[in-house]
Amino acid sequence: MILILLGAPGAGKGTQAERLVTEYGLVQLSTGEMLRSEVKSGSELGQKAKEIMESGQLVPDDLIIKMISVRISQESDAEGIILDGFPRTTEQAKALDIMLKEKDLRINHVIQLEVNEEEIVERLSGRFSCTDCGMGYHEKFSAPANKGICDKCKSTNFTRRSDDSPKTLRNRLSAYKEQTALILPYYSTKGCLKSIDGMAEMDIVFDEIKKVIDGD
Ligand code: AMP
């Protein structure tokens, strides 16, 4: 199964994808995560992507398409794949169709998580994570039980994503509105797009996604 999660930054794609991995045994492919690990390793791709990511703009299509194509091929034995953060442009959506066709695969569901801009800014500006185990937190909605101590691994080191800063966030939202939102009609014309209220409580959003997958 190929499932695409669409939505603005902070819509909850990553959180819901992680839950779907546990529930259905799917593999989550997040282009944002892949790029962050390329930047960390200092690879050629990482060096090209670093500044662009820090500015909140989109990394060029050719680099992204090459990167994701390799990963999809590596997951040929998987139960299914969740694409989180890809595609983000019409060019990427078209390239995905071609690469799936070559691998005898097809998109089963495209799920859009709808969240308004005010909520996105509130969600992203308050989020941080444990530097050591990666556990995600939010200042207002899900702070650690003991201030300054990670619930999971007791570390006292926390980090914020540099691209969650107010200025970069504005660019990321513009990139979503001006480039990524344009692919919604592409998928609705194909008849595989479902929109879900991403403002609802996390468990409710998860149930709605499951209904789409299970065909209820
Ligand atoms: P994310 O973690 O999905 O919010 O992605 C973080 C950043 O990585 C984005 O702001 C972009 O700069 C870059 N990025 C991630 N996925 C893509 C993509 N499919 N196309 C272009 N740039 C991407």
Side-chain angles (χ1 to χ4, degrees), residues 9 36 49-59 88 124 161-180:
R36 278 186 286 281
K50 190 171 186 290
E51 245 178 70
I52 304 171
M53 292 172 75
E54 278 167 1
S55 72
Q57 276 151 355
L58 296 185
V59 172
R88 260 172 152 106
L124 294 192
R161 270 176 57 169
S162 57
D163 61 353
D164 282 345
S165 69
K167 182 170 176 281
T168 309
L169 190 50
R170 270 198 300 277
N171 291 341
R172 289 166 69 203
L173 285 172
S174 303
Y176 179 75
K177 282 191 280 195
E178 287 157 24
Q179 290 163 280
T180 307

Side-chain angles (χ1 to χ4, degrees), residues 11-77:
K13 303 185 295 292
T15 310
Q16 295 296 340
E18 276 169 28
R19 299 182 68 169
L20 291 168
V21 166
T22 313
E23 180 87 9
Y24 293 96
L26 307 174
V27 171
Q28 174 189 4
L29 296 184
S30 153
T31 43
E33 285 299 330
M34 287 176 206
L35 289 168
R36 278 186 286 281
S37 85
E38 295 287 342
V39 171
K40 214 168 166 185
S41 74
S43 68
E44 199 185 325
L45 169 59
Q47 287 174 34
K48 284 185 189 152
K50 190 171 186 290
E51 245 178 70
I52 304 171
M53 292 172 75
E54 278 167 1
S55 72
Q57 276 151 355
L58 296 185
V59 172
D61 287 335
D62 56 332
L63 300 179
I64 296 287
I65 291 164
K66 205 164 138 201
M67 178 181 80
I68 196 80
S69 170
V70 171
R71 287 304 305 276
I72 292 176
S73 300
Q74 286 169 346
E75 301 299 346
S76 57
D77 291 337

Side-chain angles (χ1 to χ4, degrees), residues 9 12 14 22 30 34 37 46 53 58 75 88 96 125 138 152 156-158 181 201 209-210 213:
T22 313
S30 153
M34 287 176 206
S37 85
M53 292 172 75
L58 296 185
E75 301 299 346
R88 260 172 152 106
L96 176 65
S125 49
H138 191 280
K152 198 169 157 194
T156 52
N157 303 314
F158 295 94
E201 213 257 301
I209 297 176
K210 283 201 296 186
I213 296 175

Side-chain angles (χ1 to χ4, degrees), residues 1 3-5 11-13 15-17 19-20 24 26 82 109 111-113 194 196-197 202-216:
M1 178 175 70
L3 166 69
I4 298 176
L5 287 182
K13 303 185 295 292
T15 310
Q16 295 296 340
R19 299 182 68 169
L20 291 168
Y24 293 96
L26 307 174
I82 307 169
H109 307 287
I111 299 178
Q112 179 204 11
L113 301 179
K194 281 269 155 54
I196 287 177
D197 177 12
M202 212 162 74
D203 289 343
I204 296 174
V205 176
F206 188 56
D207 285 342
E208 290 300 315
I209 297 176
K210 283 201 296 186
K211 279 188 203 161
V212 174
I213 296 175
D214 298 338
D216 293 351

Side-chain angles (χ1 to χ4, degrees), residues 3-6 107-112 187 192-195:
L3 166 69
I4 298 176
L5 287 182
L6 281 180
I107 298 167
N108 300 80
H109 307 287
V110 180
I111 299 178
Q112 179 204 11
Y187 287 123
C192 55
L193 178 70
K194 281 269 155 54
S195 294

